[in-house]
Amino acid sequence: MENNAQHEGNHGGQGEKLKTSVYFCRCGSNIASRLNENAALLKIECQRDVSKVKAVNLLCSEEGKEFLKNDIMEDRPDRVVIAACSPREHELTFRGVLRDADMNPYLMQMANIREQAVWVTEDIDEATEKAVRLVRAAVSRVQKHEPLEEHEIEVCPDVLIIGAGPAGMKAALSIAQSGRKAVLVEKTPVVGGMPVLYEEIFPNLECGPCMLEPMMDEILHGEYSSNIELLTLSEVDELLGFYGNFVARIRKTPRYVDMDKCIGCAECFEPCPVQVRNTFNFGLDVKKAISFPFLGALPNAPYIDSRKCLRFIGEECTMCRESCPIEGAIAYEQEEEMIERKVGAVLVAVGADLYDPTNIPNLGYGKALGVYTSMEFERLLSSNGPTEGKIKNMGGSPPSSVCIVHCAGSLDENHKEYCSGICCQTAFKFNHMIESQLPGTRIIHLYKELVIPGKDDFSLHHEAKDNPNAEFVRYEDIRDINIYTPGEQENVQVDYRDASGREGSFMADMVVLCMALTPPAGSEELALKLGIPLDSSGFFEELHGRLDSVQSKVKGVYLAGTCRSPMDIQKALDQSMASAGYILSGLVVGRKLEVKPTVAEVDADRCGGCRICVSVCPFKAVEIDGETGKSSVNAVLCQGCGTCVAACPSGAIKGNHFTREEILAEIIGGLR
Amino acid sequence: MSEKPKLAMYWASSCGGCEIALVNIHEMILDVDAVFDFMFCPCLLDTKIKDIKALEDKAITLTLFNGAIRTTENEEMAHLLRRKSEVLVAFGSCAHEGCIPGLANLHRSEDFLESIYVDNPTIDNPESTYPLPECDMPEGTLSLPEFYDRVSTLAQVTDVDYFIPGCPPEPHQVRAVLQAVMSGEDLPPRGSVLGAGSAIVCEECARVKADKKITRLYRTYEIQPDTEACLLEQGILCMGVATRSGCGAPCLEANMPCTGCYGTPEGSMDQGARMSAALGSIIEVDGKGLSEDELARRFNKILDHIPDYAGLFYKYSMSSSIMKARRK
């Protein structure tokens, strides 16, 4: 074999024969014992395009790799074929060896003669033939390979977190602790999300605000709080760019209270002449146009509801400012701001909503007195809620009987097909709290299924089961329940048909509907702004349900908590930490982002701008140039899946390292 | 004998539309006549084959060869004109990619003879007499060109210098090519496609393009399409996405879908495969909670609106596709 001078830059031009070395790994006896090695080597050696063949015992061992490196450095082949195991196992290993040997790692092709030939072919001659064909295919393919270069880009390590519930707060703290900046954007005036509204939290019945208080405090005044920029009453308006280099535009609506100056003394509430329905108590009570959302809300500064405040509907009123002891704390002059922040990653933790109970009219919500959703009941239980924690109907007396409807809208093909996962625990928590506040109250559980997995979750269930005043009735279909107010009565009648078909009826003073958890209002709009997809249930869709459930389909946008799927607080926080883990390990301060060359590339001359590639890309990596109308692929976002390459009808898109020429050469080589 | 360079135009298996396309350059035909000695064109002139055979090799400067190769005569003429021509151009879709004659590759030649000469309501042929390549008569042996089993493109039987796509090529493109040849400017490398673009028809189509998702297909008589929006997005099977640019998209301007006559795009090897891959990527079935059988049923229901896959996707390029013909 001639040992020519280096063939650097020899890319398979016409007529030039490339020097191609084949390394045949025996894989111990794994490959060697299952084929006729001599015959195989002979056949490979006399193949067109093969310059030499060498058999090695264990190419992936340290000696094997050393041998491969030295042999390549000595021989300087133009192309290398490694006949061994699956590329999933050792392609990266051998690419590394080529790199060490000063050869472009993409000028190598593996022939998987172990998994695809000898392990699955009993007959030795057939296995030999198959292995030879696989090598031939690889040799034919590698002639077409092009040297590909990885490149690096600068990244911003800061993070945008949308939603300041427990999941968002936890992630913000972790990011802040690592020394990066977290921009925490919250739609409402307060932090804490849903559970901050709960008096007690299952399974251990900790007080919600108390449990979250240390975390909220750390966000606001902790050691790393200077790394957290909390933007309340704010929403993301636009997200541009890509992993490592996003630009977020955030719309911040005014609070009309200067958070730096206000001390939260609440002197301004009393003089305010306007009452508004308190949305934090789901309209069960009223509050002033300037007020806290609820007692103990953080940040500790009130906000002005500008839809109701007299100043904003054209009247002159300065009552709150006049009563304020701090100069300049009430800031009527605040205006809506558009804030721009550069971040490297985005975490979506916008929580969930409850399914609208009026979608199931037979449950009587909004018509029969004393019918509440589980969220409303949480507020009735809460010491900072409309009844200061007393279980009673609004304006009424404590109930002597409460009906709790489980699975309302869940596990139901007419409503939400999924199990909401948290309602059983919520219902049993209610059971406990009713029994401890009003011992002897009759509690009727209407349920479809009971779901109580995990090591902590049995105790509330046992307690409910053991409660002599609690009854359990299993129903099959939510339509078998009818809740209404008969005649002049103040309480409600519940008619039902149970799962065995028996019909029954009872009177209740109060009904609690454990509604299904749904994606939050506005998630479609947010998904559109972030460029990430929703799943068939409307939740934010994960990259992979098992392996990558906190990554969205767009690289650099992560998901945590109930906006991804119904889940409890524990799981939501686990997910937020998983997201933080991805972000902290993926975007490292001082390290550039490596951009893989095995991505799709558009040949603009061949592109006709039909936009099919844009329609099919699952990673939002394809963009259309506004001026030329032609498409281009963002190499950072592209995952090299090849969907656009296959779909492009003009053949303008090339999948690097999987070009048509390469694939065709491989097929022809294998069939030759 | 004229000193002018010689121009020839030949038709193999074709319809004659390409000759019309040449004449369709209007007054410029006079310039062509002034520059060239237009000496061979069976459709228009009475030059005989023996006259061509008598020429020296490469005596013809430019031959525009239209039509596919379907018979021994087609192939003989292809070889002859190759030998006698300086520049041989595959002119029009038949010579370039097989076009309509190429669809014959989906059937066997016996089947054609059967349906043309025997199984045909307007034919009375009780003895099932077929034309034969050779027939002995008292006066001697009569012969006919032999009918090949497979229709080929010009480049599949001989070396071709340039390709001009289209069924037929658009006059402005024919003019541009002839202008370039007449002006003596350097032509692109041999083997290139002339008189066409390198992208797809969408590039020249003025309609507004958006992201594509199709939930049902329409045949042209079933819908009055919007004149501004992309036809494919409206569910009409417009082949423009998988067809080489160059025509200027006149069909789209007339609110009719592209049928694909400019052929396989520059970056592709198979027009029909590209179109079906594209279509498969954009047809949407709401599959939520459906069984695989039901999904397949719904998908098939959409596809049932395509009455003739090969005739639609490979109307112009069967002979040059990857499969090239039906496998027996």
Side-chain angles (χ1 to χ4, degrees), chain B residues 5-51:
Chain B
K6 290 182 168 52
L7 170 70
M9 184 166 199
Y10 185 72
W11 54 4
S13 195
S14 73
C15 68
C18 284
E19 278 78 3
I20 307 289
L22 181 68
V23 181
N24 225 358
I25 61 176
H26 302 304
E27 291 83 356
M28 191 180 163
I29 197 80
L30 301 174
D31 298 337
V32 171
D33 185 56
V35 173
F36 289 104
D37 170 20
F38 191 15
M39 47 70 72
F40 181 52
C41 181
C43 178
L44 305 167
L45 307 166
D46 197 23
T47 326
K48 299 298 183 193
I49 289 174
K50 64 176 171 38
D51 303 328

Coordinates of all heavy atoms in Angstrom, one line a residue, chain B residues 5-51:
Chain B
P5 N -23.9 28.0 -38.9 CA -24.0 26.8 -38.0 C -25.3 26.0 -38.2 O -26.4 26.7 -38.4 CB -23.8 27.3 -36.6 CG -24.1 28.8 -36.7 CD -23.8 29.2 -38.1
K6 N -25.3 24.7 -38.1 CA -26.5 23.9 -38.3 C -27.3 23.7 -37.1 O -26.7 23.4 -36.0 CB -26.1 22.6 -38.9 CG -25.6 22.6 -40.3 CD -25.2 21.2 -40.9 CE -25.0 21.3 -42.4 NZ -24.0 22.3 -42.8
L7 N -28.6 23.8 -37.2 CA -29.5 23.6 -36.1 C -30.4 22.5 -36.5 O -31.0 22.5 -37.6 CB -30.3 24.9 -35.8 CG -31.5 24.8 -34.8 CD1 -30.9 24.5 -33.4 CD2 -32.3 26.0 -34.8
A8 N -30.6 21.5 -35.6 CA -31.6 20.4 -35.8 C -32.5 20.3 -34.7 O -32.2 20.7 -33.6 CB -30.8 19.1 -36.0
M9 N -33.7 19.8 -35.0 CA -34.7 19.5 -33.9 C -35.3 18.2 -34.3 O -35.8 18.0 -35.4 CB -35.7 20.6 -33.8 CG -36.7 20.4 -32.6 SD -37.6 21.8 -32.2 CE -38.2 21.5 -30.6
Y10 N -35.3 17.3 -33.3 CA -35.8 15.9 -33.7 C -36.8 15.5 -32.6 O -36.7 15.9 -31.5 CB -34.7 14.9 -33.7 CG -35.2 13.5 -34.2 CD1 -35.6 13.4 -35.5 CD2 -35.4 12.5 -33.2 CE1 -36.2 12.2 -35.9 CE2 -36.0 11.3 -33.6 CZ -36.4 11.1 -35.0 OH -36.9 9.9 -35.4
W11 N -37.8 14.8 -33.1 CA -38.8 14.3 -32.1 C -38.7 12.8 -32.1 O -38.8 12.1 -33.1 CB -40.2 14.7 -32.4 CG -40.8 14.5 -33.9 CD1 -40.1 13.8 -34.9 CD2 -42.0 14.9 -34.4 NE1 -40.9 13.8 -36.0 CE2 -42.1 14.4 -35.7 CE3 -43.1 15.6 -33.8 CZ2 -43.2 14.7 -36.5 CZ3 -44.2 15.8 -34.6 CH2 -44.2 15.4 -36.0
A12 N -38.6 12.3 -30.9 CA -38.6 10.8 -30.7 C -40.0 10.5 -30.2 O -41.0 10.8 -30.9 CB -37.6 10.4 -29.7
S13 N -40.2 9.9 -29.1 CA -41.5 9.6 -28.6 C -42.1 10.8 -27.9 O -41.8 11.1 -26.8 CB -41.4 8.4 -27.6 OG -42.7 7.9 -27.4
S14 N -42.9 11.6 -28.7 CA -43.3 12.9 -28.2 C -44.6 13.3 -28.9 O -45.2 12.6 -29.7 CB -42.3 13.9 -28.4 OG -42.2 14.3 -29.8
C15 N -45.2 14.4 -28.5 CA -46.5 14.8 -29.0 C -46.4 15.9 -30.0 O -47.4 16.2 -30.6 CB -47.3 15.3 -27.8 SG -46.7 16.8 -27.1
G16 N -45.2 16.5 -30.2 CA -45.1 17.6 -31.1 C -45.2 19.0 -30.4 O -45.0 20.0 -31.1
G17 N -45.5 19.0 -29.2 CA -45.7 20.3 -28.4 C -44.4 21.0 -28.3 O -44.3 22.2 -28.3
C18 N -43.3 20.3 -28.3 CA -42.0 21.0 -28.2 C -41.7 21.8 -29.5 O -41.1 22.8 -29.4 CB -40.9 19.9 -27.9 SG -40.9 19.4 -26.2
E19 N -42.1 21.2 -30.7 CA -41.9 22.0 -31.9 C -42.7 23.3 -31.8 O -42.2 24.3 -32.2 CB -42.3 21.1 -33.1 CG -41.2 20.2 -33.6 CD -41.1 18.9 -32.8 OE1 -41.9 18.7 -31.8 OE2 -40.3 18.1 -33.0
I20 N -43.9 23.1 -31.3 CA -44.8 24.3 -31.2 C -44.1 25.3 -30.2 O -44.1 26.5 -30.5 CB -46.1 23.9 -30.6 CG1 -46.8 22.8 -31.4 CG2 -47.0 25.2 -30.5 CD1 -47.3 23.2 -32.7
A21 N -43.5 24.8 -29.2 CA -42.8 25.7 -28.2 C -41.7 26.4 -28.9 O -41.4 27.6 -28.6 CB -42.3 24.8 -27.1
L22 N -41.0 25.8 -29.8 CA -39.9 26.5 -30.5 C -40.5 27.6 -31.4 O -40.0 28.7 -31.4 CB -39.1 25.5 -31.4 CG -37.9 26.1 -32.1 CD1 -36.9 26.6 -31.2 CD2 -37.4 25.2 -33.2
V23 N -41.6 27.3 -32.1 CA -42.2 28.3 -32.9 C -42.8 29.4 -32.1 O -42.9 30.6 -32.5 CB -43.3 27.7 -33.8 CG1 -43.9 28.7 -34.7 CG2 -42.7 26.6 -34.6
N24 N -43.1 29.1 -30.8 CA -43.7 30.0 -29.9 C -42.8 31.1 -29.5 O -43.2 32.0 -28.7 CB -44.2 29.2 -28.7 CG -45.6 29.6 -28.2 OD1 -46.2 30.5 -28.9 ND2 -46.1 29.0 -27.2
I25 N -41.6 31.1 -29.9 CA -40.7 32.2 -29.6 C -41.0 33.4 -30.5 O -40.3 34.5 -30.4 CB -39.2 31.8 -29.7 CG1 -38.8 31.4 -31.1 CG2 -38.9 30.8 -28.7 CD1 -37.3 31.1 -31.3
H26 N -42.0 33.3 -31.4 CA -42.5 34.4 -32.2 C -41.4 34.9 -33.1 O -40.7 34.2 -33.7 CB -43.1 35.5 -31.4 CG -44.3 34.9 -30.5 ND1 -45.3 34.2 -31.0 CD2 -44.5 34.9 -29.2 CE1 -46.2 33.9 -30.1 NE2 -45.6 34.3 -28.9
E27 N -41.3 36.2 -33.2 CA -40.4 36.9 -34.2 C -39.0 36.4 -34.1 O -38.2 36.5 -35.1 CB -40.5 38.4 -34.1 CG -41.8 39.0 -34.5 CD -42.8 39.0 -33.4 OE1 -42.5 38.4 -32.3 OE2 -43.9 39.5 -33.7
M28 N -38.6 35.9 -32.9 CA -37.3 35.6 -32.7 C -36.9 34.4 -33.6 O -35.7 34.1 -33.9 CB -37.0 35.2 -31.3 CG -35.5 35.1 -30.9 SD -35.4 34.7 -29.2 CE -33.7 34.1 -29.2
I29 N -37.9 33.7 -34.1 CA -37.6 32.6 -35.0 C -36.9 33.1 -36.2 O -36.1 32.4 -36.8 CB -38.9 31.8 -35.4 CG1 -38.6 30.4 -36.0 CG2 -39.8 32.6 -36.4 CD1 -38.3 29.4 -34.9
L30 N -37.1 34.3 -36.6 CA -36.4 34.9 -37.7 C -34.9 35.1 -37.4 O -34.1 34.9 -38.3 CB -37.1 36.3 -38.1 CG -38.6 36.2 -38.5 CD1 -39.1 37.6 -38.7 CD2 -38.7 35.3 -39.8
D31 N -34.7 35.5 -36.2 CA -33.3 35.7 -35.8 C -32.6 34.3 -35.8 O -31.4 34.2 -36.3 CB -33.2 36.2 -34.4 CG -33.8 37.6 -34.3 OD1 -33.8 38.3 -35.4 OD2 -34.2 38.0 -33.2
V32 N -33.3 33.3 -35.3 CA -32.8 32.0 -35.3 C -32.4 31.5 -36.7 O -31.4 31.0 -37.0 CB -33.7 31.0 -34.6 CG1 -33.3 29.5 -34.8 CG2 -33.9 31.3 -33.1
D33 N -33.4 31.8 -37.6 CA -33.1 31.4 -39.0 C -32.0 32.2 -39.6 O -31.2 31.7 -40.4 CB -34.4 31.7 -39.8 CG -34.3 31.2 -41.3 OD1 -34.0 30.0 -41.4 OD2 -34.4 32.0 -42.2
A34 N -31.8 33.4 -39.2 CA -30.7 34.2 -39.7 C -29.4 33.7 -39.2 O -28.4 33.7 -40.0 CB -30.9 35.7 -39.3
V35 N -29.3 33.3 -38.0 CA -28.0 32.8 -37.4 C -27.7 31.4 -37.8 O -26.6 31.1 -38.1 CB -28.1 33.0 -35.9 CG1 -26.8 32.4 -35.3 CG2 -28.2 34.4 -35.5
F36 N -28.8 30.5 -37.8 CA -28.6 29.1 -38.0 C -29.0 28.7 -39.4 O -29.9 29.3 -40.0 CB -29.3 28.3 -37.0 CG -28.8 28.4 -35.6 CD1 -29.4 29.1 -34.6 CD2 -27.7 27.6 -35.2 CE1 -29.0 29.2 -33.3 CE2 -27.2 27.7 -33.9 CZ -27.8 28.5 -33.0
D37 N -28.5 27.6 -39.8 CA -29.0 26.8 -40.9 C -29.9 25.8 -40.3 O -29.4 24.7 -39.8 CB -27.9 26.2 -41.7 CG -28.4 25.2 -42.8 OD1 -29.6 25.3 -43.1 OD2 -27.6 24.4 -43.2
F38 N -31.2 26.1 -40.2 CA -32.1 25.1 -39.6 C -32.4 24.0 -40.6 O -33.2 24.1 -41.4 CB -33.4 25.9 -39.2 CG -34.4 25.1 -38.3 CD1 -34.0 24.0 -37.6 CD2 -35.7 25.6 -38.2 CE1 -34.8 23.3 -36.8 CE2 -36.6 24.9 -37.3 CZ -36.2 23.8 -36.6
M39 N -31.7 22.9 -40.4 CA -31.6 22.0 -41.5 C -32.3 20.6 -41.3 O -32.5 19.9 -42.2 CB -30.1 21.7 -42.0 CG -29.1 21.5 -40.8 SD -29.3 19.9 -40.0 CE -28.7 18.8 -41.3
F40 N -32.7 20.4 -40.1 CA -33.4 19.1 -39.8 C -34.5 19.2 -38.8 O -34.2 19.6 -37.7 CB -32.3 18.0 -39.4 CG -32.9 16.7 -39.1 CD1 -33.6 16.0 -40.1 CD2 -32.6 16.0 -37.9 CE1 -34.1 14.7 -39.9 CE2 -33.1 14.7 -37.7 CZ -33.9 14.1 -38.7
C41 N -35.7 18.9 -39.2 CA -36.8 18.9 -38.2 C -38.0 18.2 -38.9 O -38.7 18.8 -39.7 CB -37.2 20.3 -37.9 SG -38.5 20.4 -36.7
P42 N -38.2 16.9 -38.7 CA -39.2 16.1 -39.4 C -40.6 16.7 -39.3 O -41.4 16.5 -40.2 CB -39.1 14.8 -38.7 CG -37.8 14.7 -38.1 CD -37.4 16.1 -37.7
C43 N -40.8 17.5 -38.3 CA -42.1 18.1 -38.2 C -42.3 19.2 -39.2 O -43.5 19.5 -39.6 CB -42.3 18.6 -36.7 SG -43.8 19.4 -36.4
L44 N -41.2 19.9 -39.6 CA -41.4 21.1 -40.4 C -40.6 21.0 -41.7 O -41.0 21.6 -42.7 CB -40.8 22.3 -39.6 CG -41.4 22.6 -38.2 CD1 -40.5 23.6 -37.5 CD2 -42.8 23.1 -38.4
L45 N -39.6 20.2 -41.8 CA -38.7 20.2 -43.0 C -38.6 18.8 -43.5 O -39.0 17.8 -42.8 CB -37.3 20.6 -42.6 CG -37.2 22.0 -41.9 CD1 -35.8 22.2 -41.3 CD2 -37.5 23.1 -42.9
D46 N -38.2 18.7 -44.8 CA -38.2 17.4 -45.4 C -36.9 16.7 -45.5 O -36.6 15.9 -46.4 CB -38.9 17.6 -46.9 CG -39.3 16.3 -47.4 OD1 -39.6 15.3 -46.6 OD2 -39.4 16.2 -48.7
T47 N -36.0 17.1 -44.7 CA -34.6 16.5 -44.7 C -34.8 15.0 -44.4 O -35.7 14.6 -43.5 CB -33.7 17.1 -43.6 OG1 -34.1 18.5 -43.5 CG2 -32.3 16.9 -43.9
K48 N -34.1 14.1 -45.0 CA -34.2 12.7 -44.8 C -33.1 12.2 -43.8 O -32.0 12.9 -43.7 CB -34.1 11.9 -46.1 CG -35.2 12.3 -47.1 CD -36.6 11.9 -46.5 CE -37.7 12.2 -47.5 NZ -39.0 12.2 -46.9
I49 N -33.3 11.1 -43.3 CA -32.3 10.5 -42.4 C -31.0 10.2 -43.1 O -29.9 10.4 -42.6 CB -32.8 9.2 -41.7 CG1 -33.9 9.7 -40.7 CG2 -31.7 8.5 -41.0 CD1 -34.6 8.6 -40.1
K50 N -31.1 9.8 -44.4 CA -29.8 9.5 -45.1 C -29.0 10.8 -45.2 O -27.8 10.8 -45.3 CB -30.1 8.9 -46.5 CG -30.9 9.8 -47.5 CD -31.0 9.1 -48.8 CE -32.0 9.7 -49.8 NZ -32.0 11.2 -49.9
D51 N -29.7 12.0 -45.3 CA -28.9 13.2 -45.4 C -28.1 13.5 -44.1 O -27.0 14.0 -44.1 CB -29.9 14.4 -45.6 CG -30.8 14.3 -46.8 OD1 -30.3 13.7 -47.8 OD2 -31.9 14.7 -46.8

